Amino acid sequence: MNAFHTIGVRAFVRRAAVLTGTLTVLGAVASCGTGTAAPGVTTAPDAGAASASVVTASARTADRATARCHTSELRARVGGVDPGAGQRNFPVVLTNVSSHACTLYGHPGAAFVDASGRQLGPDPKRSPGDAVRVALEPGESAWAGLRYSAPGISGARTATPAALLVTPPDERDSLKVPWTAGAVPIAGDFSAVFVTVLSEGTGP
């Protein structure tokens, strides 16, 4: 074998080795590409993680929407009298003054009190009725009816309250509303006072 032939063989061997090494590196890169984005390639976000995020946000919103209204989040007032058939009827209105939605369900508590805070007469009785959960956005109201027989007709013993205490359902603290509608029955026949379940709105 002459010198030129020997040099040519060696050059061919070196080129083959370089080519083999290059192919090996490319194969390794290709095999590592499973589940890994190449530079400059955008991968789709994890759909499961996105769904979990949406569900969590929706759950938080639902929790806020269905939270019970607390006394500190409400304002109370008594609407005008609606007389009829020997009865005196008043809407007792609760308004959501908070910055978020809340719900009311059932009968509110009520009690007439004098100027010293002493209760006049027994607690009103709950009128039968199907309670519904009333959802209140900020600024919205629910009402319950307060009813009793007109004392001038029933002959019941009366007193003139200074205020009506209104307690939202499932709460302990009350809201104090000035009472300006005159005498109410506190004892004797036909002296019972009744309160209805809460409904949406400010009155009938």
Side-chain angles (χ1 to χ4, degrees), residues 3-114:
F4 290 106
H5 181 73
T6 302
I7 292 171
V9 171
R10 290 175 178 172
F12 174 78
V13 171
R14 284 197 299 271
R15 286 197 297 272
V18 171
L19 179 59
T20 301
T22 301
L23 292 174
T24 300
V25 171
L26 290 175
V29 170
S31 65
C32 291
T34 304
T36 304
V41 177
T42 302
T43 59
D46 186 338
S51 298
S53 176
V54 171
V55 169
T56 301
S58 298
R60 286 196 297 267
T61 301
D63 287 343
R64 287 196 297 270
T66 57
R68 186 179 82 245
C69 295
H70 298 291
T71 302
S72 60
E73 300 166 333
L74 299 167
R75 181 180 66 242
R77 66 180 179 86
V78 177
V81 62
D82 178 22
Q87 302 288 324
R88 292 174 65 81
N89 305 282
F90 300 86
V92 178
V93 181
L94 292 171
T95 300
N96 180 5
V97 294
S98 74
S99 60
H100 58 84
C102 61
T103 63
L104 292 170
Y105 180 83
H107 295 79
F112 292 111
V113 295
D114 62 17

Side-chain angles (χ1 to χ4, degrees), residues 162-188:
L164 176 70
L165 300 183
V166 182
T167 307
D170 301 314
E171 291 288 296
R172 293 182 179 274
D173 296 329
S174 301
L175 297 163
K176 189 175 184 179
V177 184
W179 182 259
T180 59
V184 300
I186 59 170

Side-chain angles (χ1 to χ4, degrees), residues 106-190:
H107 295 79
F112 292 111
V113 295
D114 62 17
S116 65
R118 181 175 60 89
Q119 183 168 336
L120 301 172
D123 291 341
K125 297 181 179 181
R126 295 182 172 185
S127 294
D130 294 329
V132 296
R133 193 171 302 281
V134 182
L136 301 180
E137 294 293 331
E140 292 184 338
S141 302
W143 72 282
L146 187 72
R147 173 179 59 84
Y148 54 86
S149 297
I153 297 175
S154 69
R157 187 161 63 86
T158 65
T160 300
L164 176 70
L165 300 183
V166 182
T167 307
D170 301 314
E171 291 288 296
R172 293 182 179 274
D173 296 329
S174 301
L175 297 163
K176 189 175 184 179
V177 184
W179 182 259
T180 59
V184 300
I186 59 170
D189 294 338
F190 305 104

